[in-house]
Amino acid sequence: MELWYTEKHSENVGITMKVSHSLFSGKSEFQQLEIVETLEYGKMMLLDGLVMVTERDEFIYHDMIVHPALFTHPSPKKILVIGGGDGGSIREIMKHPEVEQAILCEIDGLVIEKSIEFLPTMASEIDGSNPRVKLHVDDGLAYIRDHQNEFDVILVDSTDPIGPAVGLFEEDFYRLVYGALKEDGIMVAQSESPFYHPKIQQAMYANLRNVFPIVEMYQAFIPTYPSGFWSFAFASKRYHPVTDFDAQRAAKRDFYTKYYNEQLHLGAFMLPTFARENIAK
Ligand code: AG3
């Protein structure tokens, strides 16, 4: 018998992967969680049937949600991740020696628990072994409401805007994020596929521009996400990700990044015309 998993990317298109077996399948109070072993991409985590991470290509997403902001901010000391229960973002944040504390605020404790159990290469820093990392199982909105003016960088490592993540794409949420950042803070949020999700992007970037003075989109190539062409929103109070970026500092980093580098940092902000149009003012 052959097992194949398909995530539909539109009514008529999808990605299909051959699966050897299931490692976990269960429902939390928020969503359906699956972890399966694939032949091509290693272990893969799905939420409500959508691909969240695979062992083989997660380095791209996690490099790109973390390093552009942490190399733009001159002194990122206190970082908040909303979502990101697999731990991949926290793992990358911990590579930055100047970070004093990183807080993971994930709504679904089951995602954290099963990531520690089945995805140790991602969850290595959220298993309680690192004193610089704190975990909160809580709704991100509720958490930042109580933590205003605290963070240098906030990363919104969410699923698509359906289910528990809907609120994370709305203007009210971005106002709370703005307030939870210090006066020179930066927010980065995953912002879907420019190819498949122009309407989501249009609404999301309009919401962001109503709140932040600096809003830019940047891109990464992520083979297991819809179209492979993925994006992130960089929203900032003071620092611009291209003109305020110190390439020297990024070049001198003493840790390995398999996707990110100081040249790609700049290149990622250069967008094809159709993607620019999605977020035109
Ligand atoms: N965040 C998921 C991005 C959305 C993927 N969408 C999809 N497959 N339709 C991943 C969290 C990784 N820390």
Side-chain angles (χ1 to χ4, degrees):
M1 188 182 69
E2 286 194 356
L3 280 175
W4 291 78
Y5 180 78
T6 298
E7 177 189 333
K8 282 172 76 179
H9 291 166
S10 74
E11 269 314 299
N12 307 301
V13 174
I15 188 172
T16 302
M17 276 186 243
K18 194 169 172 182
V19 169
S20 64
H21 57 283
S22 164
L23 294 159
F24 178 80
S25 175
K27 205 171 161 51
S28 70
E29 73 180 280
F30 301 103
Q31 54 207 346
Q32 177 71 33
L33 168 64
E34 318 282 343
I35 302 177
V36 297
E37 184 76 54
T38 71
L39 277 86
E40 192 78 31
Y41 279 89
K43 295 190 184 78
M44 170 164 80
M45 179 198 279
L46 304 147
L47 287 177
D48 288 338
L50 306 177
V51 176
M52 290 296 115
V53 288
T54 79
E55 286 182 317
R56 185 167 169 197
D57 73 347
E58 57 91 6
F59 73 94
I60 306 170
Y61 179 94
H62 292 125
D63 268 16
M64 291 306 278
I65 197 170
V66 170
H67 301 307
L70 269 68
F71 280 121
T72 298
H73 196 293
S75 173
K77 292 199 175 73
K78 193 164 179 185
I79 320 292
L80 172 66
V81 176
I82 295 176
D86 52 79
S89 296
I90 294 283
R91 181 197 63 208
E92 292 308 310
I93 291 167
M94 284 299 109
K95 293 180 177 173
H96 290 255
E98 68 277 31
V99 171
E100 290 166 3
Q101 195 176 60
I103 291 146
L104 180 73
C105 183
E106 159 68 54
I107 197 167
D108 194 341
L110 187 67
V111 175
I112 299 178
E113 186 190 316
K114 293 301 158 189
S115 299
I116 293 170
E117 191 174 341
F118 293 109
L119 305 170
T121 55
M122 281 170 248
S124 53
E125 303 285 358
I126 59 167
D127 61 3
S129 58
N130 191 332
R132 286 154 77 212
V133 176
K134 297 259 172 311
L135 303 186
H136 284 278
V137 177
D138 200 355
D139 176 12
L141 263 113
Y143 184 83
I144 52 172
R145 204 172 281 132
D146 297 336
H147 293 267
Q148 293 285 289
N149 197 23
E150 253 188 62
F151 300 100
D152 300 303
V153 176
I154 296 179
L155 304 178
V156 186
D157 186 0
S158 76
T159 59
D160 296 351
I162 37 174
V166 174
L168 305 182
F169 289 76
E170 285 168 3
E171 186 175 325
D172 289 349
F173 171 67
Y174 299 140
R175 286 199 190 285
L176 286 172
V177 171
Y178 186 93
L181 288 167
K182 291 185 190 146
E183 65 200 11
D184 60 350
I186 297 170
M187 175 190 102
V188 168
Q190 76 85 3
S191 68
E192 303 289 298
S193 167
F195 192 80
Y196 276 124
H197 310 122
K199 293 227 160 61
I200 295 173
Q201 292 204 317
Q202 200 183 20
M204 179 180 183
Y205 282 78
N207 291 342
L208 284 168
R209 286 207 185 93
N210 287 338
V211 177
F212 286 90
I214 297 166
V215 177
E216 299 289 337
M217 174 157 90
Y218 65 97
Q219 54 166 315
F221 157 69
I222 305 179
T224 58
Y225 287 173
S227 84
F229 180 41
W230 208 252
S231 74
F232 297 88
F234 187 108
S236 177
K237 292 186 172 183
R238 186 182 298 167
Y239 308 116
H240 190 279
V242 173
T243 53
D244 292 319
F245 171 60
D246 179 358
Q248 294 288 324
R249 185 179 135 223
K252 281 198 293 222
R253 71 194 174 285
D254 61 1
F255 53 85
Y256 178 64
T257 49
K258 192 172 177 180
Y259 191 82
Y260 177 87
N261 60 57
E262 65 285 357
Q263 288 178 322
L264 180 97
H265 178 118
L266 295 171
F269 285 89
M270 308 298 140
L271 301 173
T273 308
F274 77 89
R276 228 157 56 179
E277 286 167 356
N278 289 351
I279 59 161
K281 278 160 226 167

